Amino acid sequence: MFDEIATEKRPRWDSRTNHFLGSCQEHGNQTCLKFENENDLKMMVEDVEQENVHLASEATVGAVGLLSGDTCIYGTRLILISGTCKKEQAPEHAILIQNSVSAINIRAPDFCIGTVSLASDGEAKRGKSLVMIMFKHSLKCSGMEARFLVMCRLRLRAVEPPKPAVFEPSLAPAVIGLRRAQGPAQNSQSPGPGPEPELSA
Ligand SMILES: [Zn+2]
């Protein structure tokens, strides 16, 4: 599963890795992210001010969920958090997703699991990325997959153009009765545009 969450635009130093965090994944390689001396910090700040690199406004979050009836196993496990400035395009985003899937597949045999689905919301860029990753081959009409897909019913609904208003003769008595009941009260307060045309069945 992949989605985005909003983040504060705030750089920080990570003591475990001795790196500056909070920059975008798209342009982070264009500045100094490792903190070895004061000049590295100044260079990173200058690159942010000159917009060579951006502070992440969102983070791409990737998680793995196991399809199991056991609720202890069913929960999602976070495997990816990557800051983004939203300037990456579908091909770059596809690489990020593919790297995540490859990392999962490397460890999959250890847990006897396999990838059966990549899910996301309706975000257009990720949709294009998933198409680039997943749509590899055309199915043969004689193949086993095609036989199962044929049984799937597509629920398509044709949108009919609106019909013009047609006077329904069977409703005429009710319409006339309603107008007669409203008529005297309206006429007593305002002169109105004039007498209404008579309805006839
Ligand atoms: Zn950026």
Side-chain angles (χ1 to χ4, degrees):
M1 292 161 273
F2 296 93
D3 203 350
E4 265 84 31
I5 59 172
T7 60
E8 292 184 21
K9 291 185 176 181
R10 186 173 60 183
R12 67 183 180 90
W13 171 67
D14 182 35
S15 59
R16 291 191 307 164
T17 61
N18 195 32
H19 277 66
F20 301 120
L21 303 182
S23 62
C24 63
Q25 59 176 312
E26 294 89 339
H27 307 102
N29 59 352
Q30 298 179 18
T31 189
C32 181
L33 295 179
K34 190 171 184 180
F35 183 37
E36 294 181 334
N37 54 52
E38 186 178 352
N39 289 332
D40 296 330
L41 175 61
K42 289 181 179 178
M43 187 182 301
M44 193 272 290
V45 172
E46 287 177 2
D47 284 332
V48 170
E49 290 176 345
Q50 295 174 5
E51 297 190 353
N52 296 324
V53 63
H54 311 97
L55 297 179
S57 57
E58 289 188 0
T60 300
V61 178
V64 175
L66 298 182
L67 299 177
S68 170
D70 187 343
T71 54
C72 295
I73 301 176
Y74 187 77
T76 55
R77 268 74 171 176
L78 201 63
I79 61 167
L80 168 73
I81 300 178
S82 183
T84 175
C85 62
K86 305 284 287 180
K87 286 186 170 59
E88 77 174 340
Q89 301 298 315
E92 293 84 27
H93 195 65
I95 295 174
L96 179 74
I97 296 175
Q98 184 61 64
N99 287 340
S100 303
V101 175
S102 299
I104 296 170
N105 290 337
I106 289 174
R107 296 298 307 275
D110 298 336
F111 300 97
C112 298
I113 60 174
T115 304
V116 295
S117 172
L118 294 178
S120 177
D121 55 6
E123 209 259 333
K125 179 186 66 184
R126 184 166 300 112
K128 292 180 181 178
S129 302
L130 290 175
V131 167
M132 296 172 68
I133 296 172
M134 305 299 291
F135 285 21
K136 296 288 187 181
H137 311 285
S138 298
L139 292 177
K140 296 179 181 178
C141 294
S142 58
M144 180 180 293
E145 299 90 348
R147 280 191 292 171
F148 285 109
L149 289 175
V150 164
M151 293 186 289
C152 298
R153 292 183 177 180
L154 294 177
R155 296 186 177 276
L156 301 179
R157 180 187 300 173
V159 178
E160 298 181 357
K163 296 179 180 179
V166 177
F167 176 70
E168 178 58 49
S170 61
L171 297 178
V175 174
I176 293 172
L178 179 63
R179 288 184 176 177
R180 282 176 179 169
Q182 294 174 345
Q186 291 177 349
N187 292 338
S188 61
Q189 294 180 356
S190 62
E196 295 182 353
E198 288 189 20
L199 298 176
S200 59

